[in-house]
Structures are given as C-alpha cells and as structure tokens.
Amino acid sequence: MVGMPGDQIGPLMHAVVPMVATLGLEYVEVSPERTVVVLRDQPEYRNHVGGPHAAAMFALAESATGAVAIAAFGDMMDRAVLLPTTATMDYVAIARGDLTATARLDADADAARAQFDAGTRPEFDIVCEIADAEGTITGTLRVRWTLKALR
C-alpha cells in the first residue's frame, strides 16, 4: 500500500520542512521502497576539510529516510504522525562535491500498519547510504521511525 504519491513528496518536504528548502535538497526518486535525494555542493555548507559539514550530511540522509516514511505511510497522517525516535550516523569517508542519499525501508510496511491498527505504536528502520559523485559511500544513517497515534 502506498502512503502518498512520490511526485508530491519533494514539493511537500520543501513546503513544510524549512531545512530541506534551505539546503536545496533535490528529490530525484521517491517511493515507499526507495528514495534518492541530492545535496549539491555549496561552499557555505562545507566543513574544515572542504567537504559537506556533518550536519548537512545528516540532514540530507534523514530527509531521505523521512521521504520513504511519507511515501509508505503518508495516507495515515489523518490519524498518525511520523516521528524519528533514534538515529545512528556513520561517517566512513571524507565527502566532497555533490552527495546522493539513497534510503530504503528496512521493515515490513504492512506489519507496521497492522500493529498501528491493533492499537500499538510500531517502530521501523529506514537505512540510508550517502555517496559522492564517484559512487563512493561516504556515510550511512539508520533511523528508527514510529507512527504515533494522534489524539
């Protein structure tokens, strides 16, 4: 089951998440299974070694995981809110230039929906790899998301 059409999620993220617009994130592909988001190299977001700052890398990857979550569960937003509960970021190589974050749902969306419908608060992981222009993985992020019932 699809939560929200993928072509609507990039514009939605720019409209409701100011940081996404500030960074100029580009939503290249969005589906419940996989999202690809690009952060263009911008001098004002660089760190002391000339690559994107760790915070910009985190924001890129976290935004990609959020887009997957919305694509998978966006149709439930009249009764639930999506929230990240934990995140683990690994910086594995010095990043330079444009970065591409590819996030994937690492859980069974139908099982999470069933848990929510049964009255429990599901948690599910979305994982993301960040690659530079040459395809080298420069970072990975795992975010645990939850669907919290609206009161």
Side-chain angles (χ1 to χ4, degrees):
M1 180 178 282
V2 175
M4 176 179 273
D7 62 347
Q8 295 178 10
I9 293 173
L12 173 71
M13 295 289 281
H14 276 262
V16 300
V17 182
M19 180 59 78
V20 167
T22 296
L23 292 173
L25 299 183
E26 300 171 21
Y27 291 79
V28 176
E29 175 186 336
V30 180
S31 76
E33 295 81 29
R34 174 183 136 112
T35 293
V36 178
V37 182
V38 174
L39 172 66
R40 299 289 173 202
D41 184 27
Q42 300 173 61
E44 62 271 23
Y45 300 140
R46 291 184 187 155
N47 60 21
H48 63 290
V49 294
H53 191 280
M57 290 177 64
F58 181 89
L60 166 67
E62 193 274 342
S63 296
T65 70
V68 169
I70 293 169
F73 303 105
D75 63 313
M76 299 174 68
M77 296 303 94
D78 61 334
R79 57 195 178 117
V81 63
L82 283 162
L83 297 170
T85 62
T86 61
T88 303
M89 182 82 180
D90 293 315
Y91 299 94
V92 297
I94 293 177
R96 297 219 193 274
D98 294 348
L99 297 179
T100 300
T102 303
R104 291 183 174 81
L105 182 63
D106 192 22
D108 182 338
D110 291 333
R113 286 173 175 275
Q115 287 176 341
F116 183 85
D117 290 339
T120 61
R121 190 169 159 177
E123 291 188 346
F124 49 92
D125 287 351
I126 301 176
V127 295
C128 185
E129 291 184 331
I130 302 170
D132 64 16
E134 286 76 41
T136 301
I137 301 301
T138 62
T140 60
L141 176 70
R142 177 176 293 272
V143 180
R144 175 142 308 154
W145 286 86
T146 189
L147 283 163
K148 181 181 179 194
L150 295 175
R151 296 182 199 193

